[in-house]
Amino acid sequence: MGSSSSGVAWGAVKRCGVERGQHQTPNTDINTMTLSAPLLHSDSIGHILLLLAVWFGTSAHSEIISLDSENIDQILGNADVALVNFYADWCRFSQMLHPIFEEASSVVKEEFPDQKHVVFARVDCDQHADIAQRYRISKYPTLKLFRNGMMMKREYRGQRSVSALADFVKQQKNDPVQEILDLNEMETLDRSKRNIIGFFEQKDSDNYRVYEKVSNILRDDCVFLAAFGSVAKPERYSGDNIIYKPLGMNTPDMVYLGSLTNFDLAFAWTQDKCVPLVREITFENGEELTEEGLPFLILFHMKEDNESLEKFQHETARQLISEKGTINFLHADCDKFRHPLLHIHKTPEDCPVIAIDSFRHMYVFPDYKDIDTPGTLKQFVLDLHSGKLHREFHHGPDPTDVVPGQPSEEVASSPPESSFQKLAPSEHRYTILKRERDEL
């Protein structure tokens, strides 16, 4: 195995899940076991040996594929579903997962033995730092899900048990498309969800195969439905077609006008409809969102306050579309996220409230009523990127904002620390590759 430092992307520092000053379990790093043997208890050595014995004992009966730069694209591209374990041998969490991952693979292979259907694979990130950097691995172990060679945004973050892993992978093989047997079913669709509906002459067609592939990738973001043959005929007056039913009962349908056999066009159109510009943050997806590494622009609103949410969505699209990729646009339930509100000296009674969490500090938008004043929301975000928000919190108003001739007095202050950073991956569950985060 290569040196352990080769897999540390972006100058990261290895931390095996224990904060300095906390009680630490005995050092079980297999790369340094000889040097630290006097510090190890016999039961710890036995525990590691048992894990390794189980791992090597089961590997002969399972089909975990070791990926490298030469085979990764071919292996993942040929599989309907692939679960890939990005690991480092020196990480105790990786060591603990190995036998569980092996056994889960064996369980799934009993039902899906063909590698074209399901693949369990692994990447040694010390040996293949290029692959780790390609997929922006920032913690070990990371379990990434791939469908038809495309990495899914949502990785596996559930329980690390054989049954949980096996069930998760089996669920990925469920048909993502619900068949419509009667067009009257469209009258009872759940309009609180985004629905994509395809109308096809037959299931065994190139048009439907592309639709099925798109739905398989975006199944977590939209509900996909399809009608065929005589059921679909009334909606096929111009041939096979796909429509999008947005949220809300009174919102008109949108029709896909591109080629039905062009996967890239169909996927881009569907992704644009299924993945909203402003996403909801919850305790369930908080870890995933923080790991994207972008600051948060958050609207805190009462759950039933759809008017404020719609206004925020409209102004975000109008003022901030150019900032997409530099900041995450989110909305949060005031009742569920009382603690972050208290952090910025607000309560649910103050909602709606807009704030930025830079992962170091939180900054409050001065007055929600100014949201539709042209340029104000964008300037708030630009002031984060320029460092102005940070400077003003520590040193008072910027000199450029002071009226000429008026004395400027530096006012030292300290913005509230980040609240949402606490939702980031835990060092009690992962080995975190530490990177210094800029204020911006």
Side-chain angles (χ1 to χ4, degrees):
M1 190 178 72
S3 65
S4 59
S5 61
S6 64
V8 184
W10 315 296
V13 177
K14 299 174 184 176
R15 296 283 302 281
C16 241
V18 183
E19 293 284 1
R20 182 177 298 176
Q22 291 180 334
H23 172 69
Q24 299 189 16
T25 55
N27 186 353
T28 55
D29 184 336
I30 61 175
N31 289 326
T32 59
M33 190 170 288
T34 302
L35 294 176
S36 57
L39 301 177
L40 291 170
H41 298 300
S42 59
D43 57 343
S44 297
I45 297 175
H47 177 66
I48 294 300
L49 291 177
L50 177 61
L51 285 173
L52 294 175
V54 172
W55 179 21
F56 288 115
T58 57
S59 60
H61 305 289
S62 61
E63 298 182 25
I64 307 295
I65 299 175
S66 294
L67 300 177
D68 55 39
S69 300
E70 295 182 359
N71 69 4
I72 186 169
D73 292 327
Q74 179 183 2
I75 295 295
L76 299 183
N78 290 334
D80 292 341
V81 174
L83 187 64
V84 181
N85 176 17
F86 293 85
Y87 72 96
D89 273 331
W90 47 263
C91 168
R92 64 188 177 102
F93 298 115
S94 295
Q95 295 164 10
M96 293 165 67
L97 180 62
H98 282 317
I100 296 170
F101 195 72
E102 296 275 6
E103 190 174 346
S105 170
S106 299
V107 170
V108 173
K109 289 297 181 183
E110 292 178 3
E111 188 171 341
F112 301 101
D114 192 338
Q115 286 187 4
K116 291 183 179 180
H117 295 303
V118 175
V119 162
F120 275 71
R122 60 184 166 219
V123 174
D124 183 335
C125 293
D126 279 340
Q127 295 283 0
H128 304 290
D130 57 328
I131 298 178
Q133 188 163 2
R134 173 180 173 182
Y135 293 109
R136 298 186 64 82
I137 303 303
S138 60
K139 63 187 186 309
Y140 301 139
T142 292
L143 295 175
K144 293 281 189 183
L145 178 68
F146 292 78
R147 294 193 182 114
N148 303 112
M150 185 175 292
M151 185 182 74
M152 298 297 96
K153 199 166 189 178
R154 296 180 179 90
E155 63 189 53
Y156 179 79
R157 299 175 188 271
Q159 184 180 1
R160 292 175 188 162
S161 68
V162 173
S163 60
L165 281 170
D167 289 346
F168 172 76
V169 173
K170 289 179 181 179
Q171 288 170 7
Q172 308 309 311
K173 289 298 295 174
N174 294 339
D175 192 341
V177 182
Q178 305 172 27
E179 184 172 352
I180 296 175
L181 302 177
D182 188 323
L183 291 183
N184 289 327
E185 295 175 23
M186 294 171 57
E187 303 299 323
T188 59
L189 291 178
D190 184 352
R191 297 305 297 271
S192 67
K193 298 180 179 179
R194 294 171 172 82
N195 293 277
I196 304 286
I197 308 175
F199 302 97
F200 303 94
E201 182 178 8
Q202 56 185 4
K203 203 169 189 177
D204 185 16
S205 64
D206 289 340
N207 287 349
Y208 180 69
R209 277 188 280 272
V210 170
Y211 180 76
E212 188 177 37
K213 185 177 180 181
V214 170
S215 64
N216 202 27
I217 294 171
L218 294 172
R219 61 165 68 194
D220 295 329
D221 301 294
C222 265
V223 175
F224 289 88
L225 306 101
F228 305 94
S230 59
V231 176
K233 188 174 181 179
E235 297 288 340
R236 293 187 59 258
Y237 42 84
S238 60
D240 290 358
N241 65 90
I242 299 171
I243 66 171
Y244 165 59
K245 287 187 173 292
L247 303 177
M249 295 299 295
N250 301 320
T251 311
D253 298 345
M254 301 178 69
V255 181
Y256 173 62
L257 301 176
S259 168
L260 293 175
T261 57
N262 187 317
F263 168 77
D264 292 332
L265 284 178
F267 176 76
W269 181 84
T270 308
Q271 185 182 45
D272 180 64
K273 304 298 177 286
C274 292
V275 182
L277 181 63
V278 178
R279 295 176 287 174
E280 182 178 11
I281 184 169
T282 64
F283 290 112
E284 289 73 27
N285 69 3
E287 179 179 289
E288 169 193 325
L289 290 172
T290 58
E291 203 168 4
E292 291 180 11
L294 298 177
F296 291 171
L297 176 68
I298 312 173
L299 168 70
F300 295 92
H301 67 105
M302 302 304 292
K303 185 176 182 179
E304 63 277 5
D305 182 11
N306 292 320
E307 181 181 350
S308 295
L309 175 57
E310 289 175 4
K311 181 181 285 189
F312 182 70
Q313 291 170 329
H314 175 75
E315 292 302 325
T316 298
R318 187 169 72 97
Q319 299 186 42
L320 294 171
I321 192 67
S322 62
E323 297 303 313
K324 185 179 180 181
T326 69
I327 192 166
N328 268 327
F329 309 117
L330 307 170
H331 67 100
D333 186 326
C334 283
D335 279 327
K336 292 182 179 178
F337 287 91
R338 285 173 176 264
H339 179 72
L341 281 174
L342 291 173
H343 216 56
I344 54 176
H345 309 294
K346 302 288 184 181
T347 69
E349 287 69 34
D350 296 311
C351 290
V353 172
I354 296 175
I356 284 176
D357 191 319
S358 71
F359 295 140
R360 289 186 66 182
H361 298 297
M362 292 188 72
Y363 308 98
V364 182
F365 185 69
D367 190 342
Y368 173 81
K369 295 176 182 177
D370 294 334
I371 185 176
D372 52 3
T373 301
T376 54
L377 196 59
K378 182 170 185 176
Q379 190 60 52
F380 184 51
V381 172
L382 294 178
D383 286 347
L384 170 75
H385 295 324
S386 69
K388 181 179 178 181
L389 293 180
H390 184 72
R391 291 194 303 273
E392 288 193 335
F393 260 105
H394 285 291
H395 307 296
D398 262 14
T400 55
D401 294 336
V402 178
V403 177
Q406 179 179 341
S408 61
E409 181 178 348
E410 185 172 294
V411 180
S413 63
S414 178
E417 292 185 355
S418 168
S419 184
F420 287 90
Q421 178 63 23
K422 297 178 178 66
L423 296 180
S426 169
E427 291 189 335
H428 298 289
R429 179 175 167 83
Y430 299 99
T431 295
I432 309 295
L433 300 182
K434 288 290 185 182
R435 288 179 292 166
E436 291 300 322
R437 186 189 295 275
D438 293 335
E439 169 64 22
L440 306 183

